[in-house]
Amino acid sequence: RPGELVPAAASNSEQGRVVQWMADRTEPTGDTSAITIDDLHADYEGWCFGKGLHATALDAFTSEFDRVREVPQLAGQIRKFGSRYYGIGLVGRKIARLTKRNA
C-alpha cells in the first residue's frame, strides 16, 4: 500500500529491494554532510550484485527511494535538496561500487 514500508520478505520486488537495501546499508546521521543519489545508487547496485539480484536503473531507484523516505516511519528524517540527501548515511560510510571490466 502507498505510504507503508514493504516487508523484507518482498525483497524480490523492486520496491522491496530498495527497502531491504536501506535496512542493510543505511543509517540515520545527524551531521550536516550530504550524500548524492548517484552514491546511494552505486551502493545499491553493489548490494544487489552481492545478493545476485537485479538492480533497478537510477531513475526507478530515485523514485522508489523518494517514496520510501516519505513513509510515516521516515517522514522528515531524510531531507532532499536537488540530488543530495541529508540525514542519511551509508553504514561504515563506505560506498560499494561495481567496477567495469576492460574487454
Side-chain angles (χ1 to χ4, degrees), residues 14-91:
E14 289 182 13
Q15 292 104 355
R17 280 193 298 261
V18 172
V19 170
Q20 191 59 50
W21 165 79
M22 287 178 76
D24 287 354
R25 295 286 303 141
T26 67
E27 61 188 1
T29 180
D31 65 23
T32 58
S33 63
I35 189 164
T36 66
I37 194 66
D38 292 326
D39 285 345
L40 292 170
H41 184 255
D43 189 83
Y44 165 76
E45 283 182 316
W47 178 86
C48 285
F49 180 78
K51 296 193 171 291
L53 300 170
H54 172 74
T56 61
L58 178 60
D59 289 344
F61 172 82
T62 302
S63 295
E64 184 57 21
F65 184 80
D66 285 342
R67 185 194 71 78
V68 172
R69 71 184 185 87
E70 294 301 325
V71 298
Q73 298 95 321
L74 298 175
Q77 302 293 319
I78 304 169
R79 296 165 317 284
K80 179 179 182 179
F81 296 97
S83 65
R84 302 178 76 75
Y85 293 85
Y86 295 82
I88 188 170
L90 295 172
V91 173

